[in-house]
């Protein structure tokens, strides 16, 4: 209904679990990593929990799209079954034959075991994924535990992923289920989105649908966070209703007022009390109905009504500000009046058209870059050496990568260290070092790519000797957060802590003094890591968003190195663009 009005090619806030809309916040990225762990080499028993609407099902759909060819997945979406139905459903999902009339659990278990042993011999893995697992009965959970006993001498034959609401954690904490709980090798609880993540989530979904990412004002997005509590499903419901309201009022952007009215329609328990408005709303609704009835009785043809008027029945009872909007200026989030679109001068309209053309050109470039990335990932043997050679080159070094020795082993020979992490763009910006990203190809392969530069909205990858600039939203479809960066430690030790005495402590003191976090001390013969230095380290760590333990480890060393005026390490955010 409102798609053409806002330039969208599909509904951006559908509540269907469509993986193409998946926005990987830091929490969702970590949750996805846990699910992929359940599909990969780690195996074991994985538990993912989260409140209703936080995106668990969408994550599971995304995982299914990334299943490697050698992995078979059986999904159980209706957990209200008994033990026999669990085994029968598992056999059906995996194509295991069994007598249809049999009610024997042993017969089903034997058939399943033979199948798993055969597929294991063929080099295949099998994963059981159970959604809404908080609804499983105690007896079925015990049968799930028994399934984990199917194993060879060195490997489990069946890997299990349980996805459910927080009640699943309570259920598995029961004393009579402790044997099952002890077998869980990875647990993750998915939290709602933060304020900044809610903004990015809204813009991401608009971008996927080809719409303007500034369709919602900053104030409106903050209102979405307040009203929804950061729960993605509630965000979708609220934003979809707000777009309908904005369309009815012919508003090109969604502000706080429209959001609050949308909340009144779809989230009645979450908006502010507005009892004094109810009589006025009811009166306005009756007035609208009367006017429509009079118009129809007078012979006004329905097609002659404006498009918003036809939709008015879905957006009844406009508040007083809405009436003012129809009559003249409306205040935006900032309090300044906004002129209706119909009253804008011709020059402003021309400027908008020019901006739209520029945006279209930029979008075309982004599409071409995405297509080049897709081709690179789908090459049968995308070389890892190319990415690593470029990374070493940024340090002014040449590394002859040889089979049998990892790039990080050769980095140590050159006086560098590797930092392996699973994180997000913000962490990479803070570390500020070129890195190798592990991107996910369509067939599940991890393809290394050299990250050469990074700013607020885009990243620069070096692929096949060419520099490719891509929006972060595009890269998020291929990057699950895994990266490796090189760094040169300014000290010989692994870490510094209170009580250490060395020249390396003097270096740490100097950098912190330059940051005005530590008072200078003259003529120190034996630099000691004392309590004052520890407090300064903790303050520095707090400013960098690090764990405030007062110990100078790898992450703190990198950040201190960044702050050192003598540091000559290659930077990520100031990388050359040519």
């Amino acid at each position: 209904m409102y798609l053409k009005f806002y330039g969208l090619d599909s509904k951006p806030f559908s509540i269907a679990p469509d993986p193409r809309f998946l926005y990987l916040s830091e929490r969702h990225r970590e949750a996805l990593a846990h699910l992929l762990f359940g599909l990969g080499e780690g195996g074991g028993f994985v538990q993912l929990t989260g409140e209703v609407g936080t995106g668990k099902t969408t994550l599971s759909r995304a995982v299914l799209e990334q299943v490697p060819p050698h992995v078979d997945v059986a999904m159980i979406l209706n957990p209200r079954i008994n033990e026999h139905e669990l085994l029968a459903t598992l056999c059906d999902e995996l194509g295991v034959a069994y007598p249809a009339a049999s009610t024997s659990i042993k017969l089903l278990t034997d058939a399943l075991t033979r199948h798993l042993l055969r597929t294991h011999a063929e080099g295949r893995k099998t994963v059981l994924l159970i959604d809404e697992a908080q609804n499983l009965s105690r007896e079925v959970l015990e049968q799930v535990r028994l399934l984990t006993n199917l194993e060879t001498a060195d490997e489990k034959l069946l890997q299990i992923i349980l996805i459910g609401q927080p009640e699943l954690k309570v259920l598995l904490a029961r004393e009579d289920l402790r044997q099952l709980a002890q077998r869980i090798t990875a647990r993750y609880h998915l939290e709602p989105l933060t304020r900044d993540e809610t903004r990015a989530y809204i813009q991401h979904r608009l971008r996927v649908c080809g719409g303007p990412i500034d369709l919602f004002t900053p104030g409106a997005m903050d209102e979405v966070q307040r009203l929804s509590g950061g729960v993605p499903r509630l965000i979708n419901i609220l934003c979809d209703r707000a777009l309908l309201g904005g369309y009815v009022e012919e508003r090109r952007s969604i502000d706080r007022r429209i959001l609050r009215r949308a909340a009144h329609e779809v989230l009645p328990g979450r908006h502010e009390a507005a009892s004094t408005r109810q009589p006025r709303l009811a009166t306005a609704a009756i007035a609208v109905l009367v006017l429509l009835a009079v118009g129809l009785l007078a012979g006004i043809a329905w097609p002659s009504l404006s498009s918003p008027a036809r939709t008015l029945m879905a957006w009844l009872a406009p508040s007083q500000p809405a009436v003012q909007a129809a009559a003249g200026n409306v205040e935006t989030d900032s309090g300044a009046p906004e002129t209706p679109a119909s009253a804008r001068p011709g020059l402003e309209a021309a400027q908008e058209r020019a901006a739209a053309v520029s945006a279209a050109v930029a979008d075309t470039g982004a599409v071409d870059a995405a297509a080049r990335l897709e081709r690179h990932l789908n090459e049968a043997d995308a070389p890892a050496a190319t990415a690593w050679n470029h990374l070493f080159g940024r340090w002014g070094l040449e590394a002859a990568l040889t089979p049998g020795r990892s790039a990080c082993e050769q980095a140590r020979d050159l006086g560098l260290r590797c930092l392996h992490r699973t994180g997000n763009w913000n962490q990479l910006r803070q570390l500020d070092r070129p890195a190798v990203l592990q991107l996910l190809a369509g067939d599940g392969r991890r393809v290394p790519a050299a990250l050469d530069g990074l700013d607020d909205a885009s990243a620069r990858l070096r692929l096949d000797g060419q520099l490719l600039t891509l929006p972060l939203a595009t890269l998020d479809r291929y990057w699950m957060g895994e990266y490796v960066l090189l760094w040169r430690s300014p000290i010989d030790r692994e870490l510094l802590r209170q009580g250490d005495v060395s020249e390396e402590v003097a270096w740490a003191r100097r950098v912190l003094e330059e940051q005005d976090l530590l008072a200078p001390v003259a003529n120190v013969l034996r630099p000691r890591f004392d309590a004052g230095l520890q407090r300064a380290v903790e303050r520095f760590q707090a400013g960098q968003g690090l764990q405030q333990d007062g110990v100078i480890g790898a992450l703190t060393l990198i950040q201190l190195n960044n702050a050192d005026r003598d540091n000559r390490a290659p930077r990520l955010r100031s990388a050359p663009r040519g």
Side-chain angles (χ1 to χ4, degrees):
M1 185 178 294
Y2 53 71
L3 299 184
K4 185 176 180 181
F5 183 76
Y6 289 117
L8 302 165
D9 54 35
S10 59
K11 293 187 69 172
F13 298 105
S14 168
I15 60 174
D18 187 344
R20 73 190 180 103
F21 285 113
L22 178 62
Y23 166 71
L24 290 176
S25 69
E26 182 175 353
R27 295 167 178 81
H28 285 77
R29 196 182 307 282
E30 290 178 358
L32 185 58
H34 277 71
L35 293 181
L36 291 174
F37 170 81
L39 293 175
E41 297 177 358
F45 206 143
V46 179
Q47 170 192 313
L48 173 65
T49 55
E51 287 290 349
V52 176
T54 49
K56 302 184 299 297
T57 302
T58 303
L59 276 174
S60 66
R61 297 296 189 276
V63 167
L64 292 179
E65 286 199 345
Q66 300 175 23
V67 171
H70 67 284
V71 176
D72 300 321
V73 178
M75 284 194 68
I76 295 180
L77 303 178
N78 176 21
R80 294 190 180 277
I81 52 180
N82 59 34
E83 306 95 296
H84 180 272
E85 291 168 336
L86 170 73
L87 294 172
T89 303
L90 180 54
C91 288
D92 291 340
E93 287 281 305
L94 298 175
V96 178
Y98 62 93
S102 173
T103 59
S104 169
I105 289 181
K106 180 180 184 305
L107 189 150
L108 290 171
T109 303
D110 290 345
L112 182 61
T113 302
R114 288 192 296 271
H115 171 82
L116 293 176
L117 286 171
R118 184 174 64 254
T119 56
H120 175 74
E122 296 169 354
R124 303 190 63 80
K125 293 179 179 291
T126 304
V127 176
L128 169 61
L129 190 152
I130 304 178
D131 202 1
E132 300 296 340
Q134 76 278 355
N135 293 321
L136 292 172
S137 67
R138 184 220 172 275
E139 292 75 19
V140 172
L141 282 170
E142 177 61 16
Q143 185 61 57
V144 170
R145 182 186 71 81
L146 293 174
L147 288 175
T148 64
N149 290 334
L150 303 179
E151 58 189 359
T152 64
D154 57 355
E155 190 174 351
K156 297 288 185 183
L157 294 177
L158 185 65
Q159 297 163 298
I160 300 173
I161 299 175
L162 296 181
I163 302 177
Q165 295 171 20
E167 293 83 354
L168 177 61
K169 294 194 297 182
V170 178
L171 180 62
L172 294 179
R174 287 172 40 173
E175 179 67 18
D176 57 346
L177 291 173
R178 65 186 183 280
Q179 287 183 305
L180 174 61
Q182 289 171 357
R183 300 192 181 195
I184 296 175
T185 56
R187 293 177 173 86
Y188 193 81
H189 184 71
L190 191 59
E191 299 285 353
L193 302 178
T194 65
R195 172 179 171 272
D196 289 341
E197 289 169 346
T198 295
R199 287 190 174 195
Y201 175 86
I202 293 171
Q203 293 172 339
H204 168 72
R205 294 187 76 103
L206 290 169
R207 188 183 290 113
V208 169
C209 293
I213 64 171
D214 59 350
L215 186 54
F216 288 75
T217 67
M221 289 189 284
D222 288 346
E223 193 72 4
V224 171
Q225 165 68 17
R226 186 183 68 81
L227 293 167
S228 68
V231 176
R233 184 179 298 167
L234 296 180
I235 294 174
N236 291 347
I237 293 172
L238 184 56
C239 289
D240 181 72
R241 187 61 170 173
L243 287 176
L244 175 61
Y247 164 71
V248 168
E249 296 182 11
E250 298 187 83
R251 299 281 293 162
R252 291 295 179 181
S253 65
I254 306 299
D255 57 18
R256 285 182 186 271
R257 178 183 58 80
I258 294 176
L259 250 304
R260 288 168 180 161
R261 294 193 52 231
H264 179 79
E265 296 286 330
V266 296
L267 303 177
R270 289 178 174 259
H271 65 87
E272 296 89 356
S275 58
T276 58
R277 291 178 54 203
Q278 298 309 314
R280 184 176 66 207
L281 295 175
T283 302
I286 294 171
V288 169
L289 292 172
V290 170
L291 287 173
L292 288 174
V294 170
L296 292 172
L297 291 174
I300 299 176
W302 177 256
S304 68
L305 292 174
S306 66
S307 178
R310 294 188 213 127
T311 318
L312 202 54
M313 297 300 289
W315 192 255
L316 286 177
S319 60
Q320 189 63 26
V323 177
Q324 294 170 354
N329 291 350
V330 182
E331 286 197 354
T332 63
D333 287 354
S334 62
E338 176 177 317
T339 306
S342 59
R344 291 175 184 164
L347 177 60
E348 186 176 345
Q351 291 172 339
E352 287 186 357
R353 287 194 294 272
V357 171
S358 298
V361 172
D363 287 345
T364 301
V367 170
D368 291 342
R372 287 175 57 192
L373 175 63
E374 185 74 27
R375 287 194 300 270
H376 178 82
L377 294 179
N378 289 332
E379 291 176 1
D381 297 307
T386 302
W388 280 104
N389 284 335
H390 177 71
L391 190 59
F392 280 112
R394 286 294 307 275
W395 286 85
L397 300 170
E398 291 187 9
L401 300 181
T402 57
R405 296 192 71 220
S406 70
C408 289
E409 288 175 329
Q410 298 182 60
R412 284 196 294 271
D413 296 340
L414 297 170
L416 297 175
R417 299 183 185 181
C418 281
L419 181 72
H420 298 257
R421 282 291 186 275
T422 298
N424 55 31
W425 299 117
N426 285 334
Q427 292 175 3
L428 282 169
R429 289 190 191 97
Q430 288 181 332
L431 293 170
D432 202 13
R433 294 285 187 278
V436 169
L437 306 183
Q438 294 293 339
L439 304 182
L440 197 66
D443 58 2
R445 290 178 297 112
R446 265 51 172 186
V447 180
L451 177 66
D452 204 52
L454 182 65
D455 54 35
D456 291 339
S458 63
R460 294 182 294 284
L461 300 184
R462 183 71 64 170
L463 298 178
D464 301 326
Q466 295 182 329
L467 198 61
L468 195 64
T469 300
L470 287 151
L472 298 185
T474 299
L475 272 176
D476 281 341
R477 304 172 193 170
Y478 306 96
W479 186 53
M480 298 298 107
E482 185 179 355
Y483 65 86
V484 183
L485 61 81
L486 295 177
W487 65 290
R488 179 176 285 123
S489 177
I491 67 174
D492 293 331
R493 305 185 186 189
E494 291 296 325
L495 53 83
L496 292 175
R497 62 179 57 180
Q498 187 172 357
D500 289 343
V501 179
S502 69
E503 290 301 321
E504 295 162 334
V505 174
W507 168 81
R509 292 191 65 91
R510 176 179 64 78
V511 175
L512 291 169
E513 288 170 6
E514 292 170 355
Q515 299 298 307
D516 294 327
L517 294 172
L518 189 65
V521 178
N523 301 322
V524 178
L525 297 179
R526 299 180 70 246
R528 182 179 182 83
F529 198 129
D530 55 17
L533 178 55
Q534 178 171 325
R535 289 191 294 271
V537 171
E538 291 172 354
R539 289 193 293 271
F540 179 81
Q541 291 170 330
Q544 302 299 322
L546 302 174
Q547 180 181 352
Q548 300 168 46
D549 56 9
V551 176
I552 302 178
L555 294 178
T556 305
L557 275 171
I558 292 175
Q559 299 289 21
L560 283 171
N561 209 8
N562 286 344
D564 186 357
R565 63 191 178 193
D566 296 332
N567 178 33
R568 297 293 182 267
R571 296 300 184 95
L572 187 62
R573 304 202 69 183
S574 59
R577 292 177 176 267

